[in-house]
Every structure is written in C-alpha cells, then in structure tokens.
Amino acid sequence: MSMYISENGFITLTLAAIETSTKYEASGILLGYDVFHKRKHTYFVESVIPYQIAEREADSIYVMPYRKKRIRRVFHHYMKYKIIGEFHTHPGGSINLSSADKDDIRSSDYQLEIVVALEKKKKICPWKLKRGVLSGSIEEYFIEIASWRVKGRKIMKQSIRCPFAVGFDYSKPLSI
Ligand SMILES: [Zn+2]
C-alpha cells in the first residue's frame, strides 16, 4: 500500500497545519482516486479541502457529522475525483494515532487518514522520506506527514510518495 500526494495536496496539507499552528487541530477531506493492481491499493491525493467549521482543541477536533454527510452527499456532482479519506493535524504531537483516532478511523466512511504532526523547531530539516513518513521544515515549523489505513482488523501505515516535496526517487518505484 502506498499513497501518492500531489503538489496541490502537499501545499494544502502543510498550509492547513500551519494556519492552525501548534495551538489547534485542523482536519479535512482528501480528494483523488485509488488504483488496485496486483492485490495492492495505491492512493493518489490530488487535492485536499480543510473543514471550515469545527470545534478545535490542541488534541482534538470535532466536525458535526451532518456537515460531513452533506459533503459526502453532494460530492458525486464533481465527476473527476472521489473522497478517498480524511486528514487531521497533531499540533506539537507525533504522527502516531491516539486510541480515539483509531476508533474514528475504524468508524469513518473512508477508513483512511493522513496525520500531519507539526512543532516549532529552530533547526531547518530538508524534506525527506523515511520509513514511509514524509518530514521536513517550512520556516520554523517541522512537519511530519503519515498515512494510515484500516486493513482487516489492523490499522497499517501506508508509505507516502511526494515527488514535489522530495523529488522523484527512481530507486523505489510505486508498487502499481
Ligand atoms: Zn489524532
């Protein structure tokens, strides 16, 4: 399993995290498509839309279910992409899932979640991919991006690919 994040997707994910900064969580939907080949899913995030109305705390975010349902209901009018998952941020936290996160992902319509962790760091770190997690700095913000998906009874990390952030890595082609 792997997840490909486009330039647009990367920009919105990181900007949404930086907008709410280390004080509040941000969340939203991932738009794109998936390719199923040789019994493997590869997800392509083409665009990311943050939820605008939410109750935000440093360690949680709540979006009214009827608003999520409204988006899901009308989305088929946009023919090009589908909603493939959701994202939320962890201000000052790690990319690991809390037990509340695991419950939310299991019960969500998509069962796929990107977590964007950010903290303030003086040291500037170049963008890189390590063990499937994308990380790097934008000004004083150190950002890590991980993707999680429900598979059977487990929640597995999916390897992220984002050529816009780290450049093409020809040594490890996408597994499709
Ligand atoms: Zn979380």
Side-chain angles (χ1 to χ4, degrees), residues 3-170:
M3 170 172 277
Y4 180 102
I5 300 176
S6 70
E7 174 182 348
N8 278 339
F10 175 80
I11 290 170
T12 311
L13 280 173
T14 50
L15 275 182
I18 289 168
E19 184 202 347
T20 51
S21 188
T22 52
K23 212 166 185 185
Y24 299 108
E25 284 198 9
S27 74
I29 49 175
L30 311 172
L31 311 183
Y33 54 95
D34 69 290
V35 175
F36 188 63
H37 183 64
K38 291 187 179 169
R39 296 165 68 193
K40 278 184 181 169
H41 279 282
T42 302
Y43 293 87
F44 293 82
V45 177
E46 292 293 338
S47 184
V48 175
I49 313 288
Y51 290 126
Q52 297 182 87
I53 302 173
E55 287 173 31
R56 298 166 203 275
E57 303 284 343
D59 59 356
S60 68
I61 186 161
Y62 183 73
V63 178
M64 287 292 196
Y66 73 87
R67 292 204 176 97
K68 288 189 178 188
K69 275 188 187 148
R70 187 189 300 154
I71 289 174
R72 190 171 163 82
R73 190 186 74 234
V74 303
F75 197 81
H76 68 274
H77 295 297
Y78 308 96
M79 303 296 280
K80 197 172 171 190
Y81 302 128
K82 60 180 183 177
I83 304 173
I84 59 169
E86 294 180 292
F87 81 94
H88 73 280
T89 63
H90 282 173
S94 79
I95 47 101
N96 292 324
L97 300 172
S98 66
S99 49
D101 285 340
K102 288 177 185 170
D103 291 343
D104 287 348
I105 294 171
R106 283 202 174 93
S107 62
S108 86
D109 291 323
Y110 315 109
Q111 306 210 317
L112 189 155
E113 186 87 13
I114 282 181
V115 173
V116 183
L118 85 161
E119 60 181 317
K120 286 190 175 178
K121 246 188 195 180
K122 283 213 170 88
K123 189 175 171 236
I124 299 290
C125 305
W127 282 87
K128 66 171 193 239
L129 198 59
K130 197 174 176 188
R131 293 191 202 99
V133 176
L134 189 64
S135 67
S137 299
I138 298 177
E139 293 193 356
E140 75 268 38
Y141 292 100
F142 175 69
I143 298 172
E144 290 176 287
I145 303 174
S147 170
W148 300 92
R149 180 175 165 243
V150 176
K151 197 179 179 203
R153 295 166 68 89
K154 290 183 176 170
I155 299 181
M156 316 271 288
K157 200 193 287 167
Q158 314 186 92
S159 185
I160 285 182
R161 307 296 305 273
C162 185
F164 176 74
V166 296
F168 286 106
D169 179 0
Y170 292 106

